[in-house]
Amino acid sequence: MKQAWIQFLPKSLRYKIEGRDNLQIIGNISWLFAERGLQMSLGLFVSISIARYLGPDKFGILSYALAFSALMQPLSALGLNAILTRDIVREPDAKDEILGTAFILRFLGGLLSYLILISLVWLLHPDDSVARLLITILSIGNIFRAFGVIDFWFQSKVLSKYVVISKSLVLCISSAIKLTLIFTQASLNALIIVLTAEQILASICLIVPYHILGNSLINWRFQFSRGKSLLSKSWPLILSSVGTIIYLKIDQIMLGEMIGKEAVGNYAVAAKISEIWYFIPTAVASSVFPSLLKSRENNIKAYKNKLQKLYDNLACLALLIALPITIVSTPVITMLYGEVFREAGLILSIHIWASVFIFMRAALSKWLIAEDLYVFSLVTHGLGAIVNALLNLFLIPNFGGIGAAIATLISYATASYFALFVHSRTVETARMMTLALIFPVRFLLKKTAKLS
C-alpha cells in the first residue's frame, strides 16, 4: 500500500524511493505534516478567534509578551537539537546517557533563562505591571522544555507518529479551553495561563509514548564528560540560536517599544499567516537528516545529490506558497481577522517572501551540523540578527510594520543565502541554493529540451 501511494507523489516534490529508509522517511514526513495540518487548521482558527476577541491593541500586548518570553529559548534548548539526533544515530546504545545528560543541561538552562527574563522585564518595564505578569507566567514554559529531548530520540528512529499523536491531543484539549475562555469573555491573564500550560504539556506529553516503546526515564543518567562534550559542540549553536530568535522576534519587540502595541498586533497577525508554513521545511529536513548522515558516510555523490534535491524541493514549495499569498494577502487578512487588521495585509505580502530563505535554511542548518560548521552557523545567525536590528532602527520609525517586514526579509536573505558566498567551504552550497532558487526555470528548460 505504501509503495503504491508513493507512486502518486510528484517527482519534483519527492525523492526516488529506494529501500526501507526512504519509505520510512516518507511515512515520517506524512505524520509530521498531519500534525502541522491540524495545527494549521485548529491552531489558526483559535489564533484568529483570540485576535478578533482581543483586538489589535490587546492582541499586540499578548504578541509582545510571547516574543519577549521567546528571547531566552535558545538558552533552554542549548543548541542541542540536531546534535542529539546525530549522536543517538551514531551511538544508539548510549541513548540513556545522551538523553539524561541533555535533560539536566537543558533543565538548568531553562531555569537560568527564566531568571534572566524576569530580571529583564523588571528592568525594562518597572512601571508596567501587566507586561511583567504576562512575561513572568509565559517564561515558566522554558524550564519544562528540558523534556523535549525525548523528541530527538523519536527523530533518530524516524518515529514521529508517536510525537504527533501526543502533541495533537494536547493541542485539541488546549484549543477547546481557549475557545471556552473566549466564549465566556475571560481575561487576557486567563489566556496566558492556558498558553503556558499548553507549552508545559507539549513538552512532557512525550513521556508516555517513550515508555510504551519500552524505554524509561529512570534509566537516564548524567555523565559529566558527555555534558562537557555536548556543550563544547553546541556553544556555537546556542549563540546561533540567539541570533535566530533575535531576528525572528526582535521586530515585534522593537515595534512595541518604538510604535506601540497596536502596531505589534497588526504585524503579529501578518507574521502568523507567514510563519505558519515554516513547519514544512522543519518536518522534511528533520526526517531526511538521518538518511543524509548515512549517505555522507557511504557515498558523497549520493549525499550531494540528496542535498540538491532537498534544496530544490524546499525552494519550490516556498515559491508555491509565497506567490498566491502575495496576491490575496489583504483580502485574506480582512476575511479572517476583520477590517481592524487591514494594515496587516501589505505587511503579509512582504513578510511571506522570507519563507523562501527560511525553507532552504532548514536544510542548510542540517548540512552545517553534518559538516561540523557550527561556528559558521553562529556567524550567519549573528549577522542576520545585526542586519535585522539595524534595519529596524531605520525602517520602523519611517514605515512601521511594513518597515519591519522589509528588514525581516533582507536579514533572512543575508543570513541564509548571501553569507554563504564569502566562505570557501560554503560556496558550493550557495551554488546549490542558487540552482534551487531558479528551479522553475530549470524545470521548464528541461521539459522544453525533452519536447524538442
Side-chain angles (χ1 to χ4, degrees):
M1 287 297 291
K2 284 185 178 179
Q3 189 67 32
W5 173 73
I6 289 165
Q7 297 305 317
F8 291 99
L9 290 174
K11 290 182 179 179
S12 61
L13 300 179
R14 66 175 172 85
Y15 293 104
K16 186 178 179 181
I17 304 303
E18 294 177 345
R20 181 177 176 277
D21 285 345
N22 286 330
L23 287 171
Q24 198 171 12
I25 288 171
I26 294 294
N28 198 67
I29 292 174
S30 299
W31 275 101
L32 291 171
F33 268 57
E35 178 201 9
R36 294 304 301 191
L38 178 64
Q39 287 191 3
M40 280 181 64
S41 54
L42 184 56
L44 184 60
F45 175 74
V46 173
S47 176
I48 291 170
S49 300
I50 292 174
R52 293 179 75 102
Y53 171 63
L54 296 177
D57 187 48
K58 286 187 177 180
F59 188 69
I61 295 172
L62 173 61
S63 301
Y64 178 86
L66 287 168
F68 197 96
S69 64
L71 284 177
M72 289 294 114
Q73 283 182 11
L75 189 56
S76 61
L78 292 177
L80 296 175
N81 296 8
I83 292 177
L84 293 180
T85 303
R86 185 197 65 182
D87 285 359
I88 295 171
V89 169
R90 291 178 177 176
E91 304 176 72
D93 293 336
K95 71 174 180 66
D96 289 323
E97 179 183 299
I98 294 170
L99 293 175
T101 302
F103 174 80
I104 296 298
L105 292 176
R106 288 185 65 164
F107 178 81
L108 295 175
L111 187 60
L112 181 59
S113 73
Y114 179 74
L115 296 175
I116 291 174
L117 281 170
I118 300 307
S119 301
L120 278 175
V121 72
W122 276 86
L123 180 65
L124 296 175
H125 299 282
D127 300 321
D128 191 343
S129 59
V130 174
R132 292 201 308 270
L133 178 61
L134 297 185
I135 293 169
T136 298
I137 297 172
L138 279 171
S139 302
I140 296 173
N142 287 342
I143 301 174
F144 290 87
R145 290 179 184 276
F147 288 97
V149 298
I150 302 173
D151 191 2
F152 304 110
W153 179 81
F154 284 106
Q155 287 186 27
S156 72
K157 299 297 181 182
V158 200
L159 293 172
S160 291
K161 66 178 181 180
Y162 298 99
V163 179
V164 169
I165 293 170
S166 301
K167 291 187 175 181
S168 295
L169 285 173
V170 172
L171 175 64
C172 291
I173 294 170
S174 65
S175 297
I177 296 173
K178 290 174 198 171
L179 291 173
T180 301
L181 291 177
I182 293 170
F183 180 76
T184 57
Q185 297 186 329
S187 67
L188 179 57
N189 291 349
L191 285 170
I192 287 288
I193 292 172
V194 174
L195 285 169
T196 305
E198 181 182 8
Q199 292 180 32
I200 295 172
L201 287 175
S203 296
I204 66 175
C205 69
L206 301 178
I207 296 174
V208 174
Y210 184 73
H211 276 261
I212 289 174
L213 292 177
N215 305 287
S216 176
L217 270 62
I218 297 175
N219 296 329
W220 285 5
R221 58 187 181 275
F222 178 82
Q223 173 57 251
F224 181 80
S225 60
R226 173 77 66 176
K228 184 178 179 181
S229 175
L230 286 172
L231 290 177
S232 68
K233 296 172 185 175
S234 70
W235 71 264
L237 295 175
I238 298 173
L239 297 178
S240 176
S241 297
V242 170
T244 301
I245 207 71
I246 287 175
Y247 72 81
L248 277 172
K249 300 298 182 183
I250 197 65
D251 41 17
Q252 295 186 37
I253 293 173
M254 293 179 74
L255 271 172
E257 299 294 340
M258 300 170 72
I259 303 295
K261 299 302 187 293
E262 184 173 341
V264 180
N266 279 296
Y267 186 87
V269 160
K272 178 68 175 180
I273 300 295
S274 181
E275 294 171 2
I276 199 170
W277 308 99
Y278 292 177
F279 79 92
I280 296 176
T282 302
V284 173
S286 296
S287 296
V288 171
F289 188 45
S291 177
L292 281 176
L293 290 174
K294 292 177 183 178
S295 296
R296 185 179 183 276
E297 294 175 0
N298 302 323
N299 190 325
I300 292 297
K301 184 178 180 181
Y303 170 63
K304 290 182 178 180
N305 287 338
K306 281 188 175 183
L307 273 173
Q308 184 63 66
K309 288 179 180 178
L310 182 57
Y311 286 128
D312 288 348
N313 292 338
L314 292 177
C316 184
L317 285 168
L319 290 172
L320 289 174
I321 292 168
L323 279 169
I325 287 183
T326 300
I327 297 170
V328 300
S329 58
T330 299
V332 165
I333 289 292
T334 54
M335 178 184 69
L336 294 177
Y337 292 92
E339 284 292 331
V340 290
F341 286 98
R342 171 173 284 273
E343 184 182 328
L346 183 55
I347 297 172
L348 173 59
S349 68
I350 299 168
H351 196 286
I352 190 64
W353 286 96
S355 63
V356 175
F357 302 102
I358 289 292
F359 273 48
M360 291 195 296
R361 181 77 200 202
L364 174 64
S365 295
K366 301 299 184 184
W367 177 80
L368 290 172
I369 290 168
E371 299 295 327
D372 291 326
L373 291 172
Y374 305 116
V375 176
F376 184 80
S377 178
L378 163 62
V379 170
T380 57
H381 281 305
L383 178 62
I386 292 170
V387 169
N388 199 10
L390 291 176
L391 287 175
N392 277 327
L393 283 174
F394 171 74
L395 294 174
I396 286 178
N398 293 288
F399 304 103
I402 295 171
I406 295 171
T408 295
L409 173 57
I410 295 174
S411 65
Y412 284 10
T414 301
S416 301
Y417 178 60
F418 294 117
L420 301 178
F421 288 96
V422 302
H423 194 289
S424 59
R425 290 188 63 184
T426 59
V427 169
E428 184 179 6
T429 298
R431 182 187 65 81
M432 287 183 176
M433 282 192 173
T434 302
L435 289 173
L437 287 171
I438 61 171
F439 176 80
V441 177
R442 289 164 50 210
F443 179 78
L444 289 174
L445 289 175
K446 184 178 179 180
K447 291 296 183 182
T448 303
K450 284 184 177 181
L451 291 174
S452 59

